[in-house]
Amino acid sequence: MTSKVTINRLITGVPGLDEILGGGLPEFSFNLIAGQPGCGKTTLAHQIMFALATPERPAIYFTVLGEPPLKMLRYQQQFDFFDAEMVTKSVRFIDLSDDAMGGDLDRVLKRIVDEVTEHSPALVFVDSFRSVVLASEMGGNPHNSLQQFVQQLGVLMTSWQATTFLIGEYFTEIEANPVFTVSDGLIWLRQSVQRNSMVRKMEVMKMRGQPTLAGLHTFRIDTSGIEVFPPASVATSSQTDAEPQVLSGRLLTGVPDLDDMLGGGLPRGYSLLVAGPSGSGKSILAAAFLAEGARKGETGVIAAFEQNPNRSRSRIVADLISADKVGLVENRSDLSIDEVLYMLMREIRRLGASRVVIDSLSGFELALAPTFREDFRESLSNLVTALAGAGVTVLMTSELEDRYTDLRFSPYGTAFMTDAIIVQRYIEVDSRLRRIMAVVKVRASAHSDELREYTIDAEGIHIGAMLTDQEGLLGGKPTNKAASSAARVD
């Protein structure tokens, strides 16, 4: 029986791309990078080229009827991945404009063959291949055959053991085109403007010989280049090397009396929702949770959507971030859930973090691009599930309008997806607003059912006695004789 041929996979150097490709690009494959103008095709091609090219594995980048190489390089060198020292040593740029101008595909193919024969590259890029097609159509040469040209090019590159990329401007994937049939891989880039948001998505429509991740995957272009964000389950599994652990024990919140109300602390691996109106101390409780972890030698991560950690109320969090005991996922605009999870998992892995704070869900939703807000509830559920699979304990805050007379836990209907819930409220007593707190749920664990008054000062949260006067909820004066205990955030 004949053994299977082993196909090596090339690591692209584009964060997240190898995951959705199914492990990397097949070596010696014939690939098409397609999409509308401005969606990032050339940037993606350059990022892959500079990551893979070496003096032993050189690359040739052909430009055709588009912007000249000097103009293209002027802008591409602004990205972090661009290495000027590699140009001419590992990377060679060749302008095919003169050869393609007449629309003679045979001449274009001959020039490519001559250059490849002379320099023996392992990586070949043709940008924009669409320009070759348009030039052949305008030339009116009856001897031109696009399908024959593509097939010949593919056969030649494979026989020369070169991994090839054709970069082309296409507006719809349903166009009848022989390139789509002949290519081994087809990566489609999309972009759309929604209100003032730019949303970019990538789809691997085809990659012979290996399973790819189906669907659209968001990506971002910044100074480092392109970063792709795989789905939640993949982002978690690909960035967590350790074997799944059976979690036991409880984490202290940094507020001693609250730990007692929770039944001895929050069980490890749980997700906790802290719901309350503005000014009720949700962020202060989150800071105490992270600070308590630091005192126990545990690192944490915070996704701060509600307020900047450098503000005075979050000074303790800013200090923990400066000491690299807490990782920060910064607030950006036009986010997707997958992007947030990817950034969280990157920080969790970097620090070995066991505690995660998302502050708050309201700010989180506003940070998302409009298209991702439509299924926020479902996406948030996937995020919580993925973090639970990573073995971290999650505290999320949720902003609520206090109606004073009824209890609600979240405007998103997210209470069902969390393992524990703490609700904070205001009550009116003698023409003053008082704060009260209750533990509503701790899954599979006994917990207090008391309504406890609490106060906030420079030292943190202090939980007092149970409200014993039922009329206090409607304006009576609650009893508060027990000594309070402080939330330790020092």
Side-chain angles (χ1 to χ4, degrees):
M1 181 177 178
T2 305
S3 60
K4 293 182 179 180
V5 174
T6 300
I7 299 178
N8 295 325
R9 295 178 180 178
L10 304 177
I11 303 304
T12 64
V14 180
L17 179 58
D18 295 320
E19 285 85 349
I20 68 172
L21 287 174
L25 277 168
E27 192 174 24
F28 312 140
S29 58
F30 191 67
N31 305 285
L32 175 63
I33 300 175
Q36 65 195 86
C39 64
K41 302 183 300 298
T42 298
T43 300
L44 178 62
H46 276 77
Q47 192 168 348
I48 293 173
M49 178 175 66
F50 279 99
L52 293 177
T54 64
E56 298 74 29
R57 186 170 59 192
I60 290 182
Y61 199 101
F62 294 102
T63 59
V64 186
L65 289 182
E67 55 188 358
L70 287 178
K71 181 180 178 182
M72 179 178 61
L73 291 176
R74 178 185 179 188
Y75 292 102
Q76 288 298 312
Q77 66 181 336
Q78 305 303 316
F79 291 107
D80 296 341
F81 62 75
F82 189 91
D83 186 350
E85 294 184 358
M86 292 179 62
V87 179
T88 71
K89 293 182 180 179
S90 304
V91 175
R92 183 181 300 273
F93 290 88
I94 298 175
D95 189 357
L96 294 181
S97 298
D98 292 340
D99 301 278
M101 193 68 70
D104 189 340
L105 294 181
D106 291 336
R107 181 179 176 182
V108 174
L109 181 61
K110 182 179 183 307
R111 179 70 189 282
I112 293 175
V113 169
D114 290 345
E115 295 291 346
V116 170
T117 301
E118 179 179 355
H119 300 290
S120 300
L123 304 162
V124 176
F125 299 79
V126 181
D127 184 7
S128 155
F129 177 73
R130 181 72 163 177
S131 299
V132 177
V133 177
L134 294 176
S136 70
E137 293 173 351
M138 291 186 296
N141 190 335
H143 301 291
N144 284 331
S145 171
L146 176 59
Q147 185 166 356
Q148 181 180 357
F149 172 85
V150 172
Q151 289 174 338
Q152 287 180 338
L153 182 60
V155 170
L156 287 171
M157 294 305 168
T158 302
S159 65
W160 288 326
Q161 294 190 331
T163 305
T164 308
F165 301 84
L166 306 183
I167 297 92
E169 293 181 353
Y170 294 91
F171 291 87
T172 172
E173 61 269 31
I174 62 175
E175 295 181 36
N177 197 305
V179 183
F180 298 166
T181 303
V182 175
S183 63
D184 301 311
L186 177 52
I187 302 175
W188 208 282
L189 277 60
R190 297 174 171 84
Q191 67 180 12
S192 61
V193 178
Q194 300 172 358
R195 299 181 183 176
N196 292 325
S197 300
M198 172 66 77
V199 177
R200 291 186 168 96
K201 296 183 179 181
M202 179 183 298
E203 181 180 9
V204 180
M205 302 185 66
K206 178 183 181 182
M207 192 59 64
R208 285 195 175 113
Q210 61 191 50
T212 59
L213 292 181
L216 298 174
H217 310 284
T218 57
F219 70 95
R220 181 179 290 272
I221 303 177
D222 57 24
T223 56
S224 62
I226 286 178
E227 186 169 12
V228 186
F229 306 105
S233 58
V234 177
T236 305
S237 60
S238 65
Q239 296 192 48
T240 305
D241 296 330
E243 292 294 325
Q245 300 179 1
V246 178
L247 301 177
S248 61
R250 293 179 179 251
L251 297 179
L252 300 181
T253 63
V255 185
D257 282 354
L258 178 58
D259 293 328
D260 294 338
M261 294 172 67
L262 288 166
L266 184 64
R268 286 185 178 273
Y270 271 32
S271 56
L272 168 64
L273 177 66
V274 180
S278 178
S280 59
K282 301 182 297 297
S283 296
I284 296 175
L285 177 55
F289 178 72
L290 292 173
E292 181 65 22
R295 275 191 292 271
K296 300 294 184 182
E298 299 178 356
T299 51
V301 178
I302 180 170
F305 300 105
E306 189 67 22
Q307 60 179 327
N308 190 320
N310 291 320
R311 292 181 180 175
S312 58
R313 274 295 189 182
S314 299
R315 189 68 254 170
I316 180 63
V317 178
D319 291 342
L320 291 172
I321 293 172
S322 298
D324 209 26
K325 295 180 179 179
V326 169
L328 173 64
V329 172
E330 297 186 61
N331 187 4
R332 299 179 181 177
S333 59
D334 304 339
L335 291 168
S336 69
I337 293 284
D338 289 339
E339 181 174 0
V340 173
L341 179 62
Y342 193 86
M343 292 187 293
L344 282 171
M345 289 304 306
R346 183 168 55 194
E347 287 298 290
I348 290 170
R349 186 180 185 185
R350 182 179 71 86
L351 293 172
S354 58
R355 300 184 181 217
V356 171
V357 166
I358 300 176
D359 185 27
S360 70
L361 297 183
S362 308
F364 187 6
E365 184 187 26
L366 291 176
L368 296 176
T371 186
F372 300 117
R373 297 176 193 169
E374 298 174 0
D375 57 351
F376 179 68
R377 183 169 177 264
E378 178 182 353
S379 298
L380 184 61
S381 177
N382 293 336
L383 182 143
V384 172
T385 301
L387 290 175
V392 297
T393 305
V394 184
L395 186 154
M396 301 180 292
T397 68
S398 177
E399 184 79 13
L400 290 180
E401 175 188 356
D402 198 329
R403 298 182 180 180
Y404 300 98
T405 58
D406 63 346
L407 284 173
R408 293 191 308 147
F409 309 129
S410 170
Y412 311 104
T414 55
F416 77 95
M417 69 180 69
T418 58
D419 301 303
I421 299 173
I422 294 173
V423 65
Q424 299 172 335
R425 294 192 58 202
Y426 292 116
I427 60 171
E428 183 180 350
V429 180
D430 295 334
S431 298
R432 295 177 60 190
L433 289 179
R434 301 286 188 88
R435 298 181 178 95
I436 60 171
M437 181 184 299
V439 176
V440 177
K441 176 176 86 169
V442 180
R443 185 168 287 147
S445 174
H447 61 85
S448 170
D449 59 359
E450 299 174 346
L451 288 172
R452 304 280 291 271
E453 185 177 5
Y454 67 99
T455 58
I456 300 174
D457 61 20
E459 296 181 0
I461 294 177
H462 307 259
I463 297 182
M466 180 180 68
L467 296 180
T468 58
D469 182 2
Q470 186 63 29
E471 292 183 358
L473 293 175
L474 299 176
K477 187 175 181 179
T479 302
N480 186 8
K481 295 181 180 179
S484 63
S485 61
R488 294 178 297 172
V489 294
D490 53 319

